[in-house]
Amino acid sequence: MVNVSTVTDEGTNLLHHAANSLSPWPQRIEKLKELGLWIFTAEAGGTPYYETDWNCGAAVVMGSEGQGVRKEILDSADAELIIPMNPHCESLNAAVAATIVMWQMKQ
């Protein structure tokens, strides 16, 4: 997920390349950072998504439902997000979690 509202036209091609590149994830993350984007990961820790300042260019990396976000991506991210849940809920589907975060980004 990338909040492209703050990315200039000159950066659009680089953004597209960084997001769709076949290069390793750490290199993709660095290209997004070169555009001035903050990299957030949605993981089982960090700041609640609704307390995050979304007034910056942002890219959010969602982990897989079984394994979460890979360590090399966590290491290169600027911050971690969490979606607080009822203790009886084991996890959220990745698409549902992404929808919650994207909704908050647009508020």
Side-chain angles (χ1 to χ4, degrees):
M1 300 176 335
V2 177
N3 177 354
V4 294
S5 61
T6 59
V7 177
T8 64
D9 287 337
E10 299 95 47
T12 302
N13 287 336
L14 180 57
L15 175 64
H16 183 273
H17 176 73
N20 296 305
S21 169
L22 296 177
S23 61
W25 274 104
Q27 291 175 356
R28 294 183 203 188
I29 299 293
E30 288 308 312
K31 287 179 182 178
L32 292 171
K33 285 183 173 187
E34 288 173 12
L35 290 172
L37 297 176
W38 280 70
I39 309 301
F40 296 91
T41 58
E43 191 61 22
T47 303
Y49 72 97
Y50 50 81
E51 293 179 5
T52 299
D53 180 4
W54 295 110
N55 292 318
C56 62
V60 179
V61 178
M62 305 299 292
S64 68
E65 295 167 35
Q67 298 175 343
V69 178
R70 292 190 286 188
K71 183 178 180 345
E72 65 265 23
I73 297 172
L74 287 172
D75 291 345
S76 61
D78 296 303
E80 290 184 29
L81 304 173
I82 187 170
I83 300 173
M85 297 185 302
N86 182 308
H88 301 292
C89 181
E90 187 174 316
S91 66
L92 292 174
N93 171 282
V96 172
T99 301
I100 292 168
V101 172
M102 286 188 287
W103 179 84
Q104 185 66 39
M105 289 172 80
K106 294 307 284 180
Q107 297 308 305

